[in-house]
Amino acid sequence: MIAQDLYKETLLEHYRHPKNRCDGPIQDADAVERGANPRCGDEIEIGIFLQDENIRHVQFRGRGCAICIASASMLTEAVAGLSVAGTRILCEQMHDWFGDIEPAAGALLPNGLQALAAVRQHPARQKCVLLSWEALADAIDKAGRE
Amino acid sequence: MSLAVQPIDDSETINPEAVRRDFPIFSGSTQPRRFHYLDHAATTPKPSAVINSISDCYAQCYAPIHRGLYPMAEQATSNYEHARRTLQHFIGAASPDELVFTRSATEAINMVASGWLKPRLERGDVVWVSRMEHHSNYLPWQLVCQEQQAQLRFIELTEDGQLDLDGTPELFAERTKFIAITHVSNVLGTENPVATLCTTAREYGIPVLVDAAQSVSHIELDVAEMCCDFLAFSAHKMFGPTGIGLLYGRQERLAEMAPLQVGGGMVDSVGDGMEESRWAAIPARFEAGSPDMPGAVGFAAAADYLSSLGHERVHRHIVSLTRLAAQRLMRIDGIRLLPHAGLPASGIVSFTHHNMHPHDMAQIAGEAGVAIRAGHHCAQPLLRRLGLTATARASFSVYNDESDIDALIDAIISAQRVFCE
């Protein structure tokens, strides 16, 4: 298989069978935020469900390339059960890792996100990874305001 | 350099392999295998003739132009103006003074929007563009309409991606002050009937700007026959250097146009303080700053190179190849060609796949050595109308052959295996 470096099997599995994806509008979430990349038309909506200070559950809906969908799917698994504060830190680490601000940030990330590492070699695709994470950070901010 | 280059080979068809050898990028040691470049609508590789002409400028005859009085400066000036005359003949302009060197087609269009149209555009006036414009032939008009409180309206498209001129009866109405139209769409590949449109517009006294960025590399341009008032294109899409473009304007139109930039080389006498300055004659008036002589020489070398290949033969080769690509793409399950792409009339075929994002297709293709483009192609108003946000696009040139199509098809099938199983 070509492109195996970028499209790792884990990533493809998340793309083909995304976790926590809604076909319709996300219902009853504590906050829903949307991220869009007008360059490629990708759009991801992230809905967070809170329990006290923790993220109980995350759902997403939207359309995008394989990397965008896989990243959103992995996100929903990676943050379920984390504290809100811990999730915020994770969003920042993802931003630093993919923005090449902190190349070592990858080492701190959970195993479930390591399949995204290869995307760092393709600067044009980094936004595909970060779209859902930026929407998640916005959703946390929104929930905090409400 | 000659002013009227004849095709070097009078056979009916192009030999792509022979032409390919003119382009060092395809034989460079950085290419481990055959590189299938199918992104010519974005930019084109350069033949040795162009690269050498630029290198010769720097190595053999480099001096300030229109300024120095020593022999090399005079020669440099003469090379620059010779390039202008070569391009004049290339597009059939009446005089070299109708050609302004710019940084790009984009800059040329902005010059007309701000320097010619803006002072003439009043509240309630109408400017028309087509639905298929590249952002560079859309945003300058949008901006000037917003500034002047005029209206920007679309010539919409028919189902098969042609201009819906029948559905635009107000096109030549009294409030219409300008029409800007692309010759060939950079997404659909549609060739627009610009000569018919410009001829009618002239009867109504409405100036037209034709964006020839996508046509110049394979359609012979004749501004007199086309009857346009302005025409813009860039060198880099026709085998010429990056960073230089051309604005053609009918002499009387250029005489009416205000310079967008002022500075060295575009002025005859400079007033003290608030005294008025007097601009230089056309076209120097529009070429403020030190002109890009090597760029102009490379631009002219590209025009000569294209002429030596023969426009007709180039066009025939590209169209037949693009049609073949379209036919073979159509046979792949899940592929949808964009309107008009079923029978492309130029070198562009755009497509989508019901289960693969264009970026994923382009990424897999890229890793297989096939360079195609994915995205909105700087044509968001068009994609919005088509209900799409991105497409994949293959665009062909003179040295492409069936093996490039084979590689494209193989790449899309590989991508299907990755994403659709």
Side-chain angles (χ1 to χ4, degrees):
Chain A
M1 186 179 74
I2 55 167
Q4 56 193 351
D5 287 348
L6 178 59
Y7 297 108
K8 294 210 183 299
E9 196 48 46
T10 317
L11 190 150
L12 287 173
E13 189 49 36
H14 275 279
Y15 169 62
R16 293 185 193 121
H17 309 289
K19 305 287 192 299
N20 303 304
R21 183 184 198 168
C22 283
D23 290 330
I26 300 172
Q27 307 274 353
D28 306 323
D30 289 289
V32 178
E33 276 294 322
R34 175 187 294 188
N37 183 358
R39 298 187 75 84
C40 56
D42 290 359
E43 268 185 7
I44 294 288
E45 223 170 62
I46 294 282
I48 54 172
F49 299 78
L50 302 173
Q51 189 166 40
D52 304 324
E53 288 302 304
N54 293 320
I55 306 271
R56 178 167 57 85
H57 180 56
V58 179
Q59 287 183 348
F60 85 96
R61 90 189 263 232
R63 60 181 176 192
C65 63
I67 292 165
C68 180
I69 298 297
S71 176
S73 170
M74 290 177 191
L75 172 154
T76 65
E77 292 196 317
V79 305
L82 289 188
S83 67
V84 168
T87 304
R88 211 187 280 275
I89 290 169
L90 189 56
C91 289
E92 282 167 19
Q93 284 171 336
M94 285 295 285
H95 178 264
D96 290 352
W97 194 33
F98 280 92
D100 237 0
I101 297 161
E102 185 46 78
L108 307 169
L109 296 173
N111 285 341
L113 298 175
Q114 295 301 328
L116 292 169
V119 186
R120 293 182 69 249
Q121 307 306 318
H122 301 270
R125 308 298 298 274
Q126 289 172 0
K127 178 78 182 168
C128 312
V129 170
L130 290 176
L131 202 57
S132 51
W133 292 90
E134 288 166 0
L136 173 64
D138 289 345
I140 290 173
D141 287 346
K142 191 180 186 181
R145 285 194 304 271
E146 282 167 0
Chain B
M1 279 185 289
S2 69
L3 292 182
V5 177
Q6 296 300 315
I8 37 171
D9 167 3
D10 56 6
S11 65
E12 289 282 297
T13 54
I14 288 280
N15 176 353
E17 199 50 51
V19 177
R20 197 177 173 83
R21 285 196 290 272
D22 294 339
F23 291 78
I25 204 160
F26 294 122
S27 54
S29 55
T30 52
Q31 303 301 336
R33 57 187 163 185
R34 175 138 180 178
F35 176 41
H36 304 277
Y37 187 74
L38 301 177
D39 198 14
H40 297 92
T43 196
T44 54
K46 317 305 169 199
S48 299
V50 168
I51 297 169
N52 294 342
S53 75
I54 297 166
S55 152
D56 287 352
C57 286
Y58 288 114
Q60 292 168 21
C61 181
Y62 186 77
I65 66 160
H66 295 155
R67 290 155 170 80
L69 297 174
Y70 40 95
M72 195 179 278
E74 286 173 343
Q75 185 60 49
T77 301
S78 155
N79 291 351
Y80 182 70
E81 291 306 329
H82 186 89
R84 195 191 306 274
R85 286 198 301 280
T86 300
L87 287 157
Q88 173 209 341
H89 292 280
F90 184 70
I91 62 168
S95 154
D97 295 344
E98 296 184 315
L99 277 72
V100 179
F101 285 116
T102 63
R103 279 192 308 123
S104 57
T106 301
E107 185 177 73
I109 296 168
N110 275 279
M111 281 166 79
V112 178
S114 298
W116 192 89
L117 183 59
K118 189 176 172 182
R120 288 167 181 77
L121 196 64
E122 292 173 7
R123 187 192 183 116
D125 286 345
V126 180
V127 176
W128 290 89
V129 293
S130 84
R131 177 58 76 173
M132 62 175 90
E133 298 309 317
H134 187 283
H135 295 166
S136 61
N137 197 29
Y138 176 76
L139 290 174
W141 312 113
Q142 186 188 53
L143 187 64
V144 81
C145 284
Q146 285 166 346
E147 286 170 345
Q148 303 303 101
Q149 294 180 297
Q151 297 175 50
L152 182 64
R153 297 186 62 184
F154 283 113
I155 306 171
E156 296 290 354
L157 308 185
T158 58
E159 287 291 306
D160 61 351
Q162 308 285 336
L163 292 185
D164 187 9
L165 292 171
D166 291 342
T168 318
E170 320 91 313
L171 182 58
F172 303 113
E174 207 187 327
R175 292 316 300 259
T176 298
K177 287 292 177 306
F178 203 86
I179 301 170
I181 187 94
T182 190
H183 193 182
V184 167
S185 158
N186 72 315
V187 179
L188 305 173
T190 311
E191 181 183 345
N192 290 321
V194 284
T196 314
L197 195 143
C198 292
T199 308
T200 312
R202 188 164 297 178
E203 285 165 15
Y204 286 91
I206 301 165
V208 182
L209 177 141
V210 174
D211 174 0
Q214 290 298 337
S215 58
V216 66
S217 64
H218 61 97
I219 296 175
E220 190 161 11
L221 299 176
D222 184 329
V223 289
E225 201 182 294
M226 201 185 277
C227 217
C228 57
D229 292 80
F230 297 101
L231 179 118
F233 58 92
S234 57
H236 76 95
K237 284 189 167 75
M238 52 169 273
F239 306 135
T242 302
I244 189 162
L246 192 82
L247 172 66
Y248 157 81
R250 276 171 60 204
Q251 238 161 347
E252 53 268 52
R253 295 287 179 229
L254 288 184
E256 294 162 347
M257 192 164 91
L260 203 57
Q261 291 194 323
V262 292
M266 56 73 65
V267 65
D268 275 344
S269 76
V270 177
D272 263 351
M274 295 305 286
E275 263 177 48
E276 213 167 295
S277 298
R278 214 177 63 239
W279 306 144
I282 291 161
R285 183 181 303 172
F286 304 112
E287 296 179 354
S290 293
D292 178 7
M293 180 272 285
V297 168
F299 200 165
D304 279 345
Y305 179 76
L306 263 171
S307 302
S308 75
L309 294 175
H311 268 104
E312 262 302 304
R313 293 193 309 157
V314 170
H315 185 65
R316 265 202 315 273
H317 176 78
I318 290 176
V319 171
S320 69
L321 209 56
T322 313
R323 287 184 173 179
L324 181 64
Q327 284 163 359
R328 293 194 48 195
L329 280 166
M330 260 189 292
R331 279 189 234 132
I332 299 179
D333 204 26
I335 289 279
R336 189 188 133 211
L337 300 184
L338 256 61
H340 195 262
L343 270 180
S346 71
I348 293 169
V349 55
S350 278
F351 54 96
T352 57
H353 188 283
H354 74 82
N355 217 6
M356 287 191 285
H357 192 284
H359 277 192
D360 290 323
M361 283 194 274
Q363 187 94 41
I364 298 278
E367 291 181 26
V370 182
I372 59 169
R373 182 65 167 266
H376 56 53
H377 315 294
C378 297
Q380 287 182 18
L382 170 63
L383 290 215
R384 198 175 302 127
R385 176 48 59 99
L386 296 173
L388 297 169
T389 47
T391 80
R393 178 187 72 188
S395 48
F396 294 86
S397 189
V398 57
Y399 39 67
N400 289 128
D401 60 21
E402 225 175 312
S403 72
D404 295 308
I405 299 177
D406 292 341
L408 170 66
I409 301 296
D410 287 350
I412 302 297
I413 290 170
S414 300
Q416 269 186 322
R417 259 182 243 128
V418 173
F419 297 109
C420 303
E421 277 178 6

